[in-house]
Amino acid sequence: MPDKPHIVIVAKGSAAWLGGRQYTLNLLRALIAYRAGLDSYDVSVLFRGRDEAVSYEPLRPALRVCAEIETVLQDYTLATRVRWKFKRTFQGWINPRLDEPLLRLGTTFAYPISSATVPSADWIPDFQYLHYPDRTSAADIAARKLEFSNVVRHARRIVLSSENAECDCHAVFPQSVGHTTVLRFRVFAEPEWLAADPITTIRKYNLPGKFALVSNWFVPTKNHIFILDALAAVREAERQSMHVVFTGDIYDYRNPGFYNVFLNRIHTLGLQKQVSILGVIPKHDQIQLLRAATGYLQPSLFEGWNTGVEEAHLFGKRILLSDIPVHREQAPARATYFDPRNAGDLAGKLMEIFSAANPAENRAEIEQASFAHYSTLQREFARSFLDICGVHPPMLEPKPITLSHNVQTAMRYLILGRCTNDA
């Protein structure tokens, strides 16, 4: 047995699923930021694919192991296949190819995986296919059902990101009742995000000084076209001062024609001057646009627990949210809710947020106050996950953050998860 707990995170996400990548990164940051000392517990991450290494490299100094998962897995050979078959059939192992290296690493808890040999918990992000099956292919729905069924069948503990998702899980899988836990994830800022000037990024993309930001995948359930209808519902004279910037992947393999429908709608409604579509941009740039935005706009018909909303909450932004249960559950401090099927409702809220925008508003002060509030949520996130792991070490307390223009100071408090009053 190792001298201290060793938590191994098996990374989710990739360039094709940015939300999964951010989920993993923010979980790692939470475990690192509030760890009272290196003697409390070790944290490791196993990621999939060499291209993912760059995302985790900044965290490497604080991790025990930071490696591509294939480097710790044994190759498929006749001998390994026979051994793994024996362990599955006669010893009840679920995934011996993964469980063996986890045991060699001295893992005391692994996530998110299902294992009969290593203490662990698995994760179900959401049940979108249940609510919007017409937006998903039959093959995808079948794959999700099989994946989630296996999680419910094998996982020691099932983690959901919201009470809304937990209710869905209990409805679809009644046998999961009593075996689920809600873990509301929170987000963390990178040091360089605060060292940058958002105005530089605005100029880079040739954007106006006032705009609302939408950062989401272009799929029908994210309700992008509804925003266009809301803009068109605003009187032309008032609409001229409005602008909406869209970031996110423009291609949905399940609805390959959706983006063209979106473009056609822009031209049909004559909104070319009110809309900018940037596609997938560097995370650093997306955050700078968020910091500079008049407000963050989230019109989705369905979400699990949205990373963009959490980021807007972290930075203290005004947020216009579709009035769906999970958004009410997220409850960011400066949120205004609208009916996601009533374009006139959103039109009125857009007019309010743009007319109330104050260019002289002190962004640094708002961010500082928001960080101080949000740090309590970050610590609760770390504490909740450690409870799932069965680890109860001392943790750093959240403290008020004083922003500094000194880059090294900003890096210090963000990396360590501590406040600093250094000038």
Side-chain angles (χ1 to χ4, degrees):
M1 290 291 293
D3 295 333
K4 56 184 173 180
H6 182 199
I7 302 166
V8 178
I9 306 300
V10 181
K12 293 288 189 180
S14 63
W17 183 24
L18 298 176
R21 178 195 291 163
Q22 290 302 124
Y23 179 89
T24 303
L25 286 168
N26 284 307
L27 177 56
L28 291 169
R29 291 184 185 113
L31 293 174
I32 293 168
Y34 288 98
R35 181 168 53 184
L38 294 178
D39 293 334
S40 298
Y41 51 84
D42 283 333
V43 184
S44 294
V45 64
L46 302 176
F47 52 86
R48 301 180 187 278
R50 293 180 181 179
D51 292 344
E52 286 298 290
V54 66
S55 297
Y56 299 98
E57 191 62 32
L59 300 178
R60 184 181 294 274
L63 300 171
R64 177 169 163 182
V65 176
C66 180
E68 184 183 2
I69 195 167
E70 288 297 324
T71 64
V72 302
L73 299 176
Q74 286 192 282
D75 293 335
Y76 287 99
T77 65
L78 178 59
T80 57
R81 288 175 184 272
V82 170
R83 184 174 75 246
W84 296 334
K85 176 69 172 178
F86 178 86
K87 288 183 173 181
R88 280 194 299 268
T89 304
F90 298 104
Q91 296 181 346
W93 289 41
I94 298 168
N95 185 356
R97 187 173 185 238
L98 177 58
D99 286 346
E100 286 180 351
L102 289 176
L103 290 171
R104 288 196 301 270
L105 290 171
T107 305
T108 60
F109 193 86
Y111 178 82
I113 68 163
S114 298
S115 174
T117 57
V118 178
S120 56
D122 216 336
W123 176 49
I124 297 178
D126 60 61
F127 289 84
Q128 179 171 308
Y129 77 83
L130 182 67
H131 298 276
Y132 290 94
D134 59 324
R135 301 300 190 180
T136 306
S137 69
D140 274 356
I141 292 175
R144 292 289 183 273
K145 288 182 176 179
L146 177 61
E147 177 188 357
F148 297 167
S149 294
N150 285 334
V151 169
V152 172
R153 181 180 302 112
H154 297 302
R156 299 189 180 195
R157 197 74 191 163
I158 305 160
V159 175
L160 291 309
S161 295
S162 67
E163 290 182 2
N164 189 58
E166 184 180 49
C167 289
D168 284 342
C169 187
H170 292 170
V172 176
F173 302 108
Q175 67 271 37
S176 69
V177 175
H179 302 281
T180 60
T181 299
V182 174
L183 178 69
R184 298 180 179 91
F185 68 81
R186 306 297 180 178
V187 299
F188 287 76
E190 296 281 6
E192 60 270 21
W193 292 353
L194 295 184
D197 183 357
I199 301 303
T200 302
T201 307
I202 291 177
R203 291 170 178 163
K204 175 180 177 179
Y205 293 102
N206 195 29
L207 301 175
K210 292 170 61 175
F211 62 89
L213 179 67
V214 182
S215 294
N216 229 327
W217 190 10
F218 275 77
V219 297
T221 53
K222 304 305 182 183
N223 214 17
H224 289 77
I225 291 176
F226 172 78
I227 297 174
L228 305 180
D229 294 338
L231 283 171
V234 177
R235 290 189 296 271
E236 186 174 0
E238 294 177 312
R239 190 167 66 234
Q240 299 310 308
S241 63
M242 295 182 179
H243 199 87
V244 180
V245 176
F246 295 87
T247 71
D249 195 342
I250 64 173
Y251 180 71
D252 176 16
Y253 68 94
R254 298 161 300 188
N255 300 276
F258 178 73
Y259 182 61
N260 285 335
V261 172
F262 182 76
L263 292 179
N264 287 335
R265 191 68 172 166
I266 291 172
H267 289 281
T268 299
L269 296 175
L271 298 174
Q272 294 91 330
K273 293 182 179 180
Q274 276 69 56
V275 172
S276 294
I277 305 171
L278 306 184
V280 177
I281 62 176
K283 185 65 182 179
H284 179 274
D285 289 0
Q286 185 257 330
I287 291 295
Q288 297 313 308
L289 294 183
L290 173 63
R291 296 178 72 199
T294 300
Y296 187 76
L297 176 55
Q298 174 82 311
S300 301
L301 297 172
F302 182 88
E303 290 288 343
W305 186 272
N306 187 260
T307 301
V309 172
E310 287 300 316
E311 290 170 346
H313 188 180
L314 170 65
F315 283 97
K317 304 305 298 184
R318 294 186 178 91
I319 310 176
L320 294 181
L321 285 177
S322 55
D323 197 353
I324 59 177
V326 73
H327 284 163
R328 289 286 184 176
E329 191 177 338
Q330 282 193 256
R334 302 181 73 191
T336 300
Y337 298 89
F338 60 86
D339 181 348
R341 298 187 185 279
N342 183 342
D345 187 17
L346 177 57
K349 301 293 176 24
L350 285 171
M351 286 189 286
E352 290 175 11
I353 201 170
F354 275 99
S355 63
N358 179 10
E361 186 176 70
N362 191 323
R363 174 172 43 79
E365 289 183 2
I366 291 174
E367 289 180 352
Q368 177 176 316
S370 186
F371 290 158
H373 155 75
Y374 199 85
S375 65
T376 300
L377 301 179
Q378 292 170 327
R379 187 182 185 277
E380 289 174 356
F381 171 41
R383 177 74 275 169
S384 296
F385 183 74
L386 289 171
D387 286 344
I388 294 171
C389 299
V391 177
H392 307 286
M395 296 179 64
L396 294 177
E397 292 292 334
K399 301 177 182 178
I401 293 173
T402 299
L403 293 181
S404 168
H405 295 294
N406 183 286
V407 176
Q408 294 302 318
T409 299
M411 292 181 68
R412 182 159 66 255
Y413 80 72
L414 284 171
I415 291 173
L416 299 180
R418 299 181 173 92
C419 82
T420 177
N421 292 314
D422 297 347

